Each structure stands twice: as structure tokens, then as C-alpha cells.
Short mmCIF file of all heavy atoms in Angstrom, two decimals:
data_model
loop_
_atom_site.label_atom_id
_atom_site.label_comp_id
_atom_site.label_asym_id
_atom_site.label_seq_id
_atom_site.Cartn_x
_atom_site.Cartn_y
_atom_site.Cartn_z
N MET A 234 -9.04 6.16 15.49
CA MET A 234 -8.43 6.52 14.24
C MET A 234 -9.45 6.81 13.32
O MET A 234 -10.43 6.14 13.08
CB MET A 234 -7.57 5.29 13.81
CG MET A 234 -6.89 5.49 12.50
SD MET A 234 -5.95 4.05 11.84
CE MET A 234 -4.65 3.92 13.10
N THR A 235 -9.15 8.05 12.53
CA THR A 235 -10.10 8.38 11.51
C THR A 235 -9.83 7.68 10.16
O THR A 235 -8.80 7.07 10.06
CB THR A 235 -9.91 9.93 11.25
OG1 THR A 235 -8.55 10.15 10.65
CG2 THR A 235 -10.12 10.84 12.48
N LYS A 236 -10.65 7.77 9.22
CA LYS A 236 -10.47 7.10 7.99
C LYS A 236 -9.23 7.66 7.32
O LYS A 236 -8.43 6.86 6.84
CB LYS A 236 -11.73 7.39 7.10
CG LYS A 236 -11.61 6.87 5.67
CD LYS A 236 -12.89 7.10 4.89
CE LYS A 236 -12.65 6.60 3.44
NZ LYS A 236 -13.77 6.88 2.62
N LYS A 237 -9.02 8.96 7.43
CA LYS A 237 -7.78 9.56 6.75
C LYS A 237 -6.58 9.02 7.43
O LYS A 237 -5.53 8.69 6.79
CB LYS A 237 -7.81 11.16 6.88
CG LYS A 237 -6.70 11.68 6.29
CD LYS A 237 -6.70 11.53 4.71
CE LYS A 237 -5.54 12.35 4.00
NZ LYS A 237 -5.44 12.07 2.56
N GLU A 238 -6.56 8.98 8.73
CA GLU A 238 -5.48 8.44 9.46
C GLU A 238 -5.09 6.98 9.11
O GLU A 238 -3.93 6.61 8.87
CB GLU A 238 -5.65 8.61 11.00
CG GLU A 238 -5.59 10.03 11.52
CD GLU A 238 -6.03 10.19 12.96
OE1 GLU A 238 -6.78 9.28 13.46
OE2 GLU A 238 -5.69 11.17 13.58
N PHE A 239 -6.16 6.20 9.01
CA PHE A 239 -5.98 4.76 8.55
C PHE A 239 -5.44 4.69 7.20
O PHE A 239 -4.51 3.99 6.98
CB PHE A 239 -7.37 4.19 8.55
CG PHE A 239 -7.34 2.75 8.04
CD1 PHE A 239 -6.91 1.59 8.93
CD2 PHE A 239 -7.55 2.44 6.76
CE1 PHE A 239 -6.85 0.33 8.37
CE2 PHE A 239 -7.54 1.10 6.24
CZ PHE A 239 -7.11 0.07 7.08
N GLN A 240 -5.88 5.50 6.23
CA GLN A 240 -5.31 5.61 4.89
C GLN A 240 -3.90 5.88 4.82
O GLN A 240 -3.08 5.29 4.12
CB GLN A 240 -6.19 6.46 3.96
CG GLN A 240 -7.50 5.95 3.58
CD GLN A 240 -8.39 6.89 2.92
OE1 GLN A 240 -9.50 6.68 2.75
NE2 GLN A 240 -7.79 7.98 2.25
N ILE A 241 -3.54 6.86 5.68
CA ILE A 241 -2.09 7.34 5.77
C ILE A 241 -1.17 6.30 6.26
O ILE A 241 -0.17 5.85 5.76
CB ILE A 241 -1.95 8.67 6.52
CG1 ILE A 241 -2.58 9.79 5.73
CG2 ILE A 241 -0.51 8.94 6.90
CD1 ILE A 241 -2.73 11.07 6.55
N ALA A 242 -1.69 5.60 7.36
CA ALA A 242 -0.95 4.57 8.01
C ALA A 242 -0.74 3.35 7.04
O ALA A 242 0.25 2.72 6.96
CB ALA A 242 -1.55 4.13 9.29
N LEU A 243 -1.85 2.98 6.39
CA LEU A 243 -1.77 1.92 5.43
C LEU A 243 -0.91 2.14 4.22
O LEU A 243 -0.06 1.39 3.94
CB LEU A 243 -3.16 1.69 4.92
CG LEU A 243 -3.30 0.62 3.77
CD1 LEU A 243 -2.93 -0.70 4.19
CD2 LEU A 243 -4.76 0.58 3.18
N GLY A 244 -0.91 3.41 3.77
CA GLY A 244 -0.02 3.87 2.77
C GLY A 244 1.42 3.86 3.15
O GLY A 244 2.32 3.27 2.36
N LYS A 245 1.81 4.22 4.32
CA LYS A 245 3.11 4.12 4.88
C LYS A 245 3.65 2.77 4.97
O LYS A 245 4.69 2.36 4.69
CB LYS A 245 3.22 4.85 6.25
CG LYS A 245 3.17 6.32 6.11
CD LYS A 245 3.30 6.97 7.47
CE LYS A 245 3.37 8.52 7.36
NZ LYS A 245 3.55 9.18 8.79
N ARG A 246 2.74 1.85 5.41
CA ARG A 246 3.04 0.41 5.49
C ARG A 246 3.29 -0.29 4.15
O ARG A 246 4.29 -0.93 3.92
CB ARG A 246 1.89 -0.39 6.22
CG ARG A 246 2.24 -1.83 6.36
CD ARG A 246 3.43 -2.03 7.34
NE ARG A 246 3.50 -3.48 7.62
CZ ARG A 246 4.67 -4.02 7.81
NH1 ARG A 246 5.84 -3.28 7.82
NH2 ARG A 246 4.82 -5.34 7.96
N ILE A 247 2.51 0.13 3.10
CA ILE A 247 2.76 -0.40 1.84
C ILE A 247 4.04 0.13 1.31
O ILE A 247 4.83 -0.67 0.76
CB ILE A 247 1.62 -0.15 0.87
CG1 ILE A 247 0.26 -0.72 1.35
CG2 ILE A 247 1.93 -0.44 -0.54
CD1 ILE A 247 -0.99 -0.28 0.70
N LYS A 248 4.30 1.40 1.50
CA LYS A 248 5.58 1.89 1.00
C LYS A 248 6.75 1.24 1.71
O LYS A 248 7.82 0.96 1.02
CB LYS A 248 5.63 3.53 1.34
CG LYS A 248 6.84 4.19 0.82
CD LYS A 248 6.88 5.52 1.14
CE LYS A 248 8.17 6.22 0.68
NZ LYS A 248 8.12 7.69 0.82
N GLN A 249 6.66 1.08 2.98
CA GLN A 249 7.76 0.41 3.86
C GLN A 249 8.04 -1.03 3.28
O GLN A 249 9.18 -1.38 2.93
CB GLN A 249 7.34 0.24 5.24
CG GLN A 249 8.36 -0.46 6.12
CD GLN A 249 7.82 -0.78 7.47
OE1 GLN A 249 6.65 -0.92 7.77
NE2 GLN A 249 8.79 -1.01 8.35
N LEU A 250 7.07 -1.80 2.97
CA LEU A 250 7.16 -3.08 2.47
C LEU A 250 7.73 -3.08 1.00
O LEU A 250 8.57 -3.90 0.69
CB LEU A 250 5.81 -3.92 2.46
CG LEU A 250 5.26 -4.23 3.90
CD1 LEU A 250 3.86 -4.74 3.75
CD2 LEU A 250 6.17 -5.30 4.58
N ARG A 251 7.25 -2.12 0.17
CA ARG A 251 7.75 -2.01 -1.13
C ARG A 251 9.20 -1.73 -1.13
O ARG A 251 10.04 -2.29 -1.91
CB ARG A 251 6.95 -0.91 -1.87
CG ARG A 251 7.39 -0.57 -3.24
CD ARG A 251 6.66 0.40 -3.96
NE ARG A 251 6.71 1.73 -3.33
CZ ARG A 251 7.76 2.50 -3.32
NH1 ARG A 251 8.87 2.17 -3.99
NH2 ARG A 251 7.77 3.73 -2.81
N GLU A 252 9.61 -0.68 -0.32
CA GLU A 252 11.07 -0.33 -0.28
C GLU A 252 11.94 -1.44 0.32
O GLU A 252 12.97 -1.53 -0.17
CB GLU A 252 11.23 0.92 0.56
CG GLU A 252 10.70 2.18 -0.17
CD GLU A 252 10.61 3.44 0.59
OE1 GLU A 252 10.82 3.40 1.89
OE2 GLU A 252 10.59 4.49 -0.06
N GLU A 253 11.45 -2.20 1.25
CA GLU A 253 12.17 -3.29 1.80
C GLU A 253 12.47 -4.36 0.67
O GLU A 253 13.54 -5.06 0.62
CB GLU A 253 11.49 -4.01 2.96
CG GLU A 253 11.57 -3.25 4.19
CD GLU A 253 10.59 -3.89 5.25
OE1 GLU A 253 9.97 -5.04 5.04
OE2 GLU A 253 10.44 -3.33 6.31
N LYS A 254 11.54 -4.43 -0.40
CA LYS A 254 11.80 -5.44 -1.44
C LYS A 254 12.52 -4.77 -2.65
O LYS A 254 12.69 -5.34 -3.66
CB LYS A 254 10.37 -5.87 -1.97
CG LYS A 254 9.58 -6.48 -0.85
CD LYS A 254 9.96 -7.92 -0.55
CE LYS A 254 9.06 -8.59 0.63
NZ LYS A 254 9.29 -9.85 0.79
N ASN A 255 12.88 -3.46 -2.49
CA ASN A 255 13.56 -2.73 -3.54
C ASN A 255 12.77 -2.74 -4.84
O ASN A 255 13.22 -2.91 -5.93
CB ASN A 255 14.97 -3.24 -3.91
CG ASN A 255 16.03 -2.67 -2.98
OD1 ASN A 255 15.80 -1.60 -2.58
ND2 ASN A 255 17.02 -3.28 -2.90
N ILE A 256 11.48 -2.44 -4.57
CA ILE A 256 10.53 -2.37 -5.79
C ILE A 256 10.04 -0.92 -6.00
O ILE A 256 9.69 -0.25 -4.96
CB ILE A 256 9.38 -3.31 -5.62
CG1 ILE A 256 9.73 -4.65 -5.40
CG2 ILE A 256 8.31 -3.10 -6.86
CD1 ILE A 256 8.53 -5.65 -5.04
N SER A 257 10.09 -0.34 -7.16
CA SER A 257 9.75 1.01 -7.43
C SER A 257 8.16 1.08 -7.45
O SER A 257 7.43 0.03 -7.55
CB SER A 257 10.26 1.51 -8.72
OG SER A 257 9.59 0.88 -9.87
N GLN A 258 7.64 2.25 -7.19
CA GLN A 258 6.28 2.50 -7.33
C GLN A 258 5.74 2.10 -8.71
O GLN A 258 4.71 1.39 -8.90
CB GLN A 258 5.86 3.97 -7.14
CG GLN A 258 5.71 4.33 -5.62
CD GLN A 258 5.19 5.78 -5.50
OE1 GLN A 258 5.23 6.59 -6.52
NE2 GLN A 258 4.78 6.04 -4.40
N THR A 259 6.53 2.42 -9.76
CA THR A 259 6.12 2.04 -11.15
C THR A 259 6.03 0.53 -11.31
O THR A 259 5.10 0.08 -11.84
CB THR A 259 7.07 2.69 -12.16
OG1 THR A 259 7.16 4.15 -11.95
CG2 THR A 259 6.73 2.37 -13.60
N ALA A 260 6.96 -0.17 -10.90
CA ALA A 260 7.04 -1.54 -11.06
C ALA A 260 5.93 -2.27 -10.22
O ALA A 260 5.20 -3.12 -10.75
CB ALA A 260 8.43 -2.17 -10.51
N LEU A 261 5.69 -1.87 -8.95
CA LEU A 261 4.61 -2.35 -8.30
C LEU A 261 3.27 -2.00 -8.87
O LEU A 261 2.36 -2.90 -9.02
CB LEU A 261 4.67 -1.91 -6.80
CG LEU A 261 3.59 -2.62 -5.83
CD1 LEU A 261 3.73 -4.12 -5.85
CD2 LEU A 261 3.68 -1.99 -4.44
N GLY A 262 3.06 -0.85 -9.38
CA GLY A 262 1.91 -0.56 -10.09
C GLY A 262 1.67 -1.35 -11.26
O GLY A 262 0.53 -1.83 -11.56
N ASN A 263 2.76 -1.57 -12.09
CA ASN A 263 2.57 -2.41 -13.30
C ASN A 263 2.21 -3.82 -12.97
O ASN A 263 1.45 -4.46 -13.59
CB ASN A 263 3.96 -2.45 -14.00
CG ASN A 263 4.19 -1.05 -14.73
OD1 ASN A 263 3.29 -0.30 -14.98
ND2 ASN A 263 5.47 -0.92 -15.20
N MET A 264 2.74 -4.33 -11.77
CA MET A 264 2.43 -5.70 -11.35
C MET A 264 0.98 -5.83 -10.97
O MET A 264 0.37 -6.86 -11.18
CB MET A 264 3.34 -6.19 -10.21
CG MET A 264 4.71 -6.40 -10.47
SD MET A 264 5.52 -6.97 -8.93
CE MET A 264 6.92 -5.74 -8.72
N CYS A 265 0.40 -4.73 -10.48
CA CYS A 265 -1.05 -4.68 -10.09
C CYS A 265 -1.86 -4.16 -11.11
O CYS A 265 -3.05 -3.91 -10.85
CB CYS A 265 -1.12 -4.05 -8.75
SG CYS A 265 -0.30 -4.78 -7.37
N ASP A 266 -1.39 -3.78 -12.26
CA ASP A 266 -2.15 -3.13 -13.30
C ASP A 266 -2.74 -1.85 -13.04
O ASP A 266 -3.92 -1.52 -13.37
CB ASP A 266 -3.22 -4.14 -13.93
CG ASP A 266 -3.68 -3.79 -15.37
OD1 ASP A 266 -2.92 -3.21 -16.07
OD2 ASP A 266 -4.88 -4.15 -15.63
N ILE A 267 -2.03 -0.98 -12.26
CA ILE A 267 -2.45 0.34 -11.99
C ILE A 267 -1.30 1.30 -12.27
O ILE A 267 -0.11 0.88 -12.42
CB ILE A 267 -2.86 0.59 -10.46
CG1 ILE A 267 -1.71 0.32 -9.50
CG2 ILE A 267 -4.10 -0.37 -10.16
CD1 ILE A 267 -2.04 0.67 -8.12
N GLU A 268 -1.58 2.55 -12.56
CA GLU A 268 -0.59 3.57 -12.96
C GLU A 268 0.15 3.96 -11.66
O GLU A 268 -0.27 3.96 -10.56
CB GLU A 268 -1.29 4.74 -13.48
CG GLU A 268 -1.85 4.37 -14.86
CD GLU A 268 -2.35 5.67 -15.65
OE1 GLU A 268 -1.79 6.76 -15.30
OE2 GLU A 268 -3.00 5.45 -16.55
N ARG A 269 1.43 4.42 -11.94
CA ARG A 269 2.27 4.87 -10.75
C ARG A 269 1.65 5.95 -10.02
O ARG A 269 1.69 6.10 -8.85
CB ARG A 269 3.70 5.38 -11.37
CG ARG A 269 4.65 5.68 -10.18
CD ARG A 269 5.67 6.63 -10.59
NE ARG A 269 5.25 7.92 -10.94
CZ ARG A 269 4.82 8.93 -10.10
NH1 ARG A 269 4.84 8.61 -8.78
NH2 ARG A 269 4.38 10.02 -10.43
N SER A 270 0.85 6.82 -10.66
CA SER A 270 0.19 8.01 -10.07
C SER A 270 -0.80 7.44 -8.96
O SER A 270 -0.94 7.98 -7.93
CB SER A 270 -0.42 8.96 -10.99
OG SER A 270 -1.33 8.26 -11.79
N ASN A 271 -1.46 6.34 -9.29
CA ASN A 271 -2.33 5.65 -8.44
C ASN A 271 -1.72 5.06 -7.24
O ASN A 271 -2.05 5.15 -6.03
CB ASN A 271 -3.32 4.64 -9.04
CG ASN A 271 -4.23 5.27 -10.02
OD1 ASN A 271 -4.59 6.38 -9.80
ND2 ASN A 271 -4.74 4.47 -10.96
N MET A 272 -0.49 4.43 -7.41
CA MET A 272 0.31 3.88 -6.46
C MET A 272 0.90 5.07 -5.46
O MET A 272 0.82 4.87 -4.29
CB MET A 272 1.64 3.25 -7.13
CG MET A 272 2.14 2.00 -6.64
SD MET A 272 1.07 0.78 -5.86
CE MET A 272 1.57 1.09 -4.17
N ASN A 273 1.19 6.16 -6.00
CA ASN A 273 1.53 7.28 -5.33
C ASN A 273 0.43 7.75 -4.40
O ASN A 273 0.62 8.05 -3.16
CB ASN A 273 2.09 8.42 -6.20
CG ASN A 273 2.65 9.56 -5.41
OD1 ASN A 273 3.14 9.35 -4.32
ND2 ASN A 273 2.70 10.68 -5.98
N ARG A 274 -0.75 7.85 -4.91
CA ARG A 274 -1.93 8.30 -4.07
C ARG A 274 -2.19 7.27 -2.91
O ARG A 274 -2.55 7.68 -1.77
CB ARG A 274 -3.17 8.39 -5.00
CG ARG A 274 -3.11 9.68 -5.71
CD ARG A 274 -4.45 10.04 -6.38
NE ARG A 274 -4.83 9.14 -7.45
CZ ARG A 274 -4.37 9.29 -8.73
NH1 ARG A 274 -3.57 10.32 -8.98
NH2 ARG A 274 -4.75 8.48 -9.51
N ILE A 275 -2.04 5.97 -3.21
CA ILE A 275 -2.18 4.97 -2.12
C ILE A 275 -1.23 5.14 -1.05
O ILE A 275 -1.57 5.17 0.15
CB ILE A 275 -2.19 3.58 -2.71
CG1 ILE A 275 -3.38 3.32 -3.68
CG2 ILE A 275 -2.03 2.54 -1.60
CD1 ILE A 275 -3.22 2.07 -4.52
N GLU A 276 0.07 5.27 -1.40
CA GLU A 276 1.10 5.43 -0.39
C GLU A 276 1.09 6.74 0.40
O GLU A 276 1.46 6.90 1.48
CB GLU A 276 2.56 5.27 -1.01
CG GLU A 276 2.78 3.85 -1.52
CD GLU A 276 4.09 3.68 -2.03
OE1 GLU A 276 4.92 4.61 -2.05
OE2 GLU A 276 4.49 2.50 -2.44
N ALA A 277 0.47 7.81 -0.21
CA ALA A 277 0.29 9.11 0.31
C ALA A 277 -0.92 9.16 1.28
O ALA A 277 -1.15 10.01 1.99
CB ALA A 277 0.20 10.23 -0.61
N GLY A 278 -1.75 8.06 1.20
CA GLY A 278 -2.98 8.01 1.94
C GLY A 278 -4.09 8.90 1.40
O GLY A 278 -5.08 9.23 2.12
N ASN A 279 -4.06 9.15 0.09
CA ASN A 279 -4.99 9.94 -0.59
C ASN A 279 -6.14 9.17 -1.30
O ASN A 279 -6.97 9.84 -1.97
CB ASN A 279 -4.40 10.97 -1.58
CG ASN A 279 -3.55 12.00 -0.76
OD1 ASN A 279 -3.79 12.38 0.36
ND2 ASN A 279 -2.34 12.33 -1.47
N THR A 280 -6.14 7.88 -1.15
CA THR A 280 -7.27 7.06 -1.75
C THR A 280 -7.41 5.84 -0.81
O THR A 280 -6.48 5.39 -0.11
CB THR A 280 -6.84 6.72 -3.09
OG1 THR A 280 -8.01 6.13 -3.77
CG2 THR A 280 -5.62 5.74 -3.27
N ASN A 281 -8.52 5.28 -0.99
CA ASN A 281 -8.87 4.03 -0.30
C ASN A 281 -8.91 2.86 -1.24
O ASN A 281 -9.84 2.64 -1.92
CB ASN A 281 -10.24 4.21 0.56
CG ASN A 281 -10.57 3.22 1.53
OD1 ASN A 281 -9.68 2.43 1.84
ND2 ASN A 281 -11.76 3.18 1.86
N PRO A 282 -7.80 2.05 -1.18
CA PRO A 282 -7.72 0.96 -2.18
C PRO A 282 -8.75 -0.04 -1.87
O PRO A 282 -9.07 -0.30 -0.71
CB PRO A 282 -6.34 0.38 -2.06
CG PRO A 282 -5.82 0.84 -0.72
CD PRO A 282 -6.55 2.15 -0.41
N SER A 283 -9.28 -0.78 -2.96
CA SER A 283 -10.20 -1.82 -2.72
C SER A 283 -9.56 -3.03 -2.04
O SER A 283 -8.36 -3.18 -2.03
CB SER A 283 -10.74 -2.27 -4.12
OG SER A 283 -9.73 -2.92 -4.94
N SER A 284 -10.42 -3.84 -1.50
CA SER A 284 -9.92 -5.09 -0.95
C SER A 284 -9.13 -6.00 -1.91
O SER A 284 -8.15 -6.59 -1.58
CB SER A 284 -11.01 -5.85 -0.27
OG SER A 284 -12.08 -6.19 -1.12
N TYR A 285 -9.59 -6.00 -3.22
CA TYR A 285 -8.92 -6.76 -4.17
C TYR A 285 -7.53 -6.20 -4.59
O TYR A 285 -6.61 -6.95 -4.67
CB TYR A 285 -9.77 -7.00 -5.45
CG TYR A 285 -9.10 -7.90 -6.49
CD1 TYR A 285 -8.97 -9.15 -6.27
CD2 TYR A 285 -8.47 -7.30 -7.62
CE1 TYR A 285 -8.31 -10.04 -7.27
CE2 TYR A 285 -7.83 -8.13 -8.52
CZ TYR A 285 -7.79 -9.41 -8.28
OH TYR A 285 -7.09 -10.37 -9.23
N LEU A 286 -7.50 -4.93 -4.55
CA LEU A 286 -6.15 -4.28 -4.83
C LEU A 286 -5.29 -4.57 -3.67
O LEU A 286 -4.01 -4.89 -3.86
CB LEU A 286 -6.36 -2.82 -5.01
CG LEU A 286 -5.04 -2.03 -5.38
CD1 LEU A 286 -4.26 -2.72 -6.52
CD2 LEU A 286 -5.27 -0.58 -5.68
N LEU A 287 -5.72 -4.59 -2.43
CA LEU A 287 -4.86 -4.89 -1.28
C LEU A 287 -4.42 -6.23 -1.40
O LEU A 287 -3.22 -6.56 -1.05
CB LEU A 287 -5.61 -4.68 0.04
CG LEU A 287 -5.88 -3.22 0.39
CD1 LEU A 287 -6.77 -3.13 1.67
CD2 LEU A 287 -4.63 -2.44 0.61
N TYR A 288 -5.20 -7.21 -1.87
CA TYR A 288 -4.84 -8.56 -2.01
C TYR A 288 -3.75 -8.71 -3.05
O TYR A 288 -2.77 -9.37 -2.79
CB TYR A 288 -6.08 -9.39 -2.46
CG TYR A 288 -5.70 -10.70 -3.16
CD1 TYR A 288 -5.33 -11.85 -2.37
CD2 TYR A 288 -5.69 -10.82 -4.45
CE1 TYR A 288 -4.94 -13.12 -2.90
CE2 TYR A 288 -5.36 -12.05 -5.18
CZ TYR A 288 -5.04 -13.13 -4.34
OH TYR A 288 -4.65 -14.33 -4.91
N LEU A 289 -3.87 -7.97 -4.22
CA LEU A 289 -2.95 -8.03 -5.17
C LEU A 289 -1.55 -7.41 -4.74
O LEU A 289 -0.44 -7.91 -5.05
CB LEU A 289 -3.40 -7.19 -6.52
CG LEU A 289 -4.35 -7.80 -7.38
CD1 LEU A 289 -4.63 -6.77 -8.56
CD2 LEU A 289 -3.65 -9.02 -8.06
N LEU A 290 -1.58 -6.21 -4.10
CA LEU A 290 -0.35 -5.59 -3.52
C LEU A 290 0.36 -6.55 -2.64
O LEU A 290 1.61 -6.71 -2.76
CB LEU A 290 -0.73 -4.36 -2.74
CG LEU A 290 -1.22 -3.23 -3.62
CD1 LEU A 290 -1.89 -2.01 -2.74
CD2 LEU A 290 -0.05 -2.56 -4.46
N ALA A 291 -0.38 -7.21 -1.71
CA ALA A 291 0.19 -8.25 -0.83
C ALA A 291 0.93 -9.41 -1.62
O ALA A 291 2.13 -9.83 -1.33
CB ALA A 291 -0.77 -8.69 0.14
N GLU A 292 0.11 -9.80 -2.64
CA GLU A 292 0.68 -10.97 -3.42
C GLU A 292 1.97 -10.58 -4.11
O GLU A 292 2.97 -11.32 -4.08
CB GLU A 292 -0.41 -11.42 -4.45
CG GLU A 292 0.11 -12.55 -5.34
CD GLU A 292 -1.01 -12.95 -6.26
OE1 GLU A 292 -1.35 -11.96 -7.21
OE2 GLU A 292 -1.44 -14.08 -6.18
N LYS A 293 1.91 -9.38 -4.69
CA LYS A 293 3.12 -8.96 -5.45
C LYS A 293 4.37 -8.57 -4.56
O LYS A 293 5.54 -8.71 -4.94
CB LYS A 293 2.80 -7.77 -6.33
CG LYS A 293 1.67 -8.04 -7.29
CD LYS A 293 1.91 -9.30 -8.22
CE LYS A 293 0.86 -9.56 -9.15
NZ LYS A 293 0.95 -10.83 -9.93
N LEU A 294 4.01 -8.22 -3.30
CA LEU A 294 5.07 -7.99 -2.31
C LEU A 294 5.53 -9.14 -1.58
O LEU A 294 6.40 -9.17 -0.79
CB LEU A 294 4.58 -6.94 -1.34
CG LEU A 294 4.41 -5.50 -1.83
CD1 LEU A 294 3.59 -4.63 -0.84
CD2 LEU A 294 5.64 -4.87 -2.11
N GLY A 295 4.90 -10.29 -1.84
CA GLY A 295 5.20 -11.60 -1.26
C GLY A 295 4.86 -11.65 0.26
O GLY A 295 5.64 -12.30 0.95
N VAL A 296 3.79 -10.95 0.61
CA VAL A 296 3.34 -11.01 2.08
C VAL A 296 1.92 -11.36 2.14
O VAL A 296 1.22 -11.37 1.10
CB VAL A 296 3.54 -9.72 2.81
CG1 VAL A 296 5.12 -9.35 2.81
CG2 VAL A 296 2.84 -8.55 2.21
N GLU A 297 1.48 -11.82 3.36
CA GLU A 297 0.03 -12.11 3.51
C GLU A 297 -0.65 -10.75 3.56
O GLU A 297 -0.05 -9.80 3.97
CB GLU A 297 -0.20 -12.75 4.89
CG GLU A 297 0.39 -14.20 4.99
CD GLU A 297 -0.32 -15.16 4.12
OE1 GLU A 297 -1.51 -15.05 4.00
OE2 GLU A 297 0.38 -16.01 3.57
N ALA A 298 -1.98 -10.74 3.05
CA ALA A 298 -2.67 -9.46 3.04
C ALA A 298 -2.78 -8.77 4.45
O ALA A 298 -2.68 -7.63 4.62
CB ALA A 298 -4.05 -9.71 2.56
N SER A 299 -2.77 -9.66 5.47
CA SER A 299 -2.91 -9.12 6.89
C SER A 299 -1.63 -8.38 7.29
O SER A 299 -1.68 -7.41 8.10
CB SER A 299 -3.06 -10.13 7.82
OG SER A 299 -2.05 -11.15 7.81
N GLU A 300 -0.55 -8.62 6.59
CA GLU A 300 0.75 -7.90 6.80
C GLU A 300 0.63 -6.48 6.46
O GLU A 300 1.34 -5.54 6.99
CB GLU A 300 1.94 -8.57 6.12
CG GLU A 300 3.28 -8.09 6.44
CD GLU A 300 3.66 -8.27 7.93
OE1 GLU A 300 3.13 -9.19 8.55
OE2 GLU A 300 4.42 -7.44 8.53
N LEU A 301 -0.27 -6.13 5.43
CA LEU A 301 -0.42 -4.69 5.04
C LEU A 301 -1.07 -3.92 6.14
O LEU A 301 -0.85 -2.68 6.27
CB LEU A 301 -1.27 -4.62 3.84
CG LEU A 301 -0.74 -5.29 2.50
CD1 LEU A 301 -1.73 -5.13 1.41
CD2 LEU A 301 0.64 -4.74 2.16
N LEU A 302 -1.81 -4.51 7.03
CA LEU A 302 -2.47 -3.94 8.11
C LEU A 302 -1.76 -3.96 9.43
O LEU A 302 -2.15 -3.50 10.49
CB LEU A 302 -3.85 -4.54 8.29
CG LEU A 302 -4.70 -4.51 7.15
CD1 LEU A 302 -6.08 -5.21 7.43
CD2 LEU A 302 -5.01 -2.95 6.76
N ASN A 303 -0.50 -4.50 9.38
CA ASN A 303 0.24 -4.54 10.59
C ASN A 303 1.11 -3.27 10.85
O ASN A 303 2.25 -3.22 10.57
CB ASN A 303 1.29 -5.73 10.39
CG ASN A 303 2.01 -6.04 11.73
OD1 ASN A 303 1.65 -5.67 12.82
ND2 ASN A 303 3.11 -6.83 11.62
N PHE A 304 0.41 -2.25 11.26
CA PHE A 304 0.96 -0.99 11.49
C PHE A 304 0.41 -0.41 12.82
O PHE A 304 -0.65 -0.78 13.29
CB PHE A 304 0.72 0.00 10.43
CG PHE A 304 -0.71 0.17 9.98
CD1 PHE A 304 -1.53 1.04 10.72
CD2 PHE A 304 -1.23 -0.47 8.91
CE1 PHE A 304 -2.89 1.25 10.33
CE2 PHE A 304 -2.55 -0.25 8.57
CZ PHE A 304 -3.37 0.60 9.33
N LYS A 305 1.23 0.48 13.47
CA LYS A 305 0.82 1.20 14.62
C LYS A 305 -0.13 2.27 14.35
O LYS A 305 0.19 2.99 13.29
CB LYS A 305 2.03 1.60 15.48
CG LYS A 305 2.74 0.47 16.00
CD LYS A 305 3.83 0.96 16.89
CE LYS A 305 4.40 -0.04 17.72
NZ LYS A 305 5.34 -0.91 17.36
N PRO A 306 -1.20 2.47 15.02
CA PRO A 306 -2.05 3.69 14.74
C PRO A 306 -1.30 4.94 14.85
O PRO A 306 -0.32 5.11 15.71
CB PRO A 306 -3.08 3.67 15.86
CG PRO A 306 -3.14 2.19 16.36
CD PRO A 306 -1.69 1.69 16.12
N LEU A 307 -1.67 5.98 14.08
CA LEU A 307 -0.98 7.30 14.24
C LEU A 307 -1.50 7.95 15.49
O LEU A 307 -2.44 7.58 16.08
CB LEU A 307 -1.45 8.13 13.06
CG LEU A 307 -1.21 7.63 11.63
CD1 LEU A 307 -1.74 8.51 10.67
CD2 LEU A 307 0.30 7.51 11.36
N ASN A 308 -0.69 8.94 15.89
CA ASN A 308 -1.13 9.59 17.26
C ASN A 308 -2.49 9.96 17.33
O ASN A 308 -3.32 10.60 17.07
CB ASN A 308 -0.14 10.80 17.46
CG ASN A 308 1.31 10.37 17.67
OD1 ASN A 308 1.54 9.09 17.55
ND2 ASN A 308 2.12 11.26 17.75
#
């Protein structure tokens, strides 16, 4: 898996968890003190979030940080 493929898979997983909780990108971004545009880039796989941001995202989504990485590799 390339770095880009990893970022895309991670972004899709974050989006999936966010949508399951009925939380908007704006709301989750606000909870983590980042702008919605940054949340959009993370979910699109266009940026590599820091480990601390992943921790915050997991906390605000009510899951363990390891759950963010619980995705199947892309083809």
C-alpha cells in the first residue's frame, strides 16, 4: 500500500465513523479545533494527519484510536 492509498483508506474510515455518529465535518472539525476544509482534506486522503490529531478524532468519535486504522487495504 502506498502512502496515498493509506491516506485515502484512513480518510474513508474516518468519514464512515463520523457518518455513523451523525456528526458533520464542521462539527467534528470544531471539536478538534480544525477547520472544515482541513476535515475535508483528511477524509479525501489529501493530507496526512498528525498522530495527535488522530487521537483527538478518535476521542471525539468515541472510539479507540486503533479503530481509525481498522480498514481493508485498497486494491
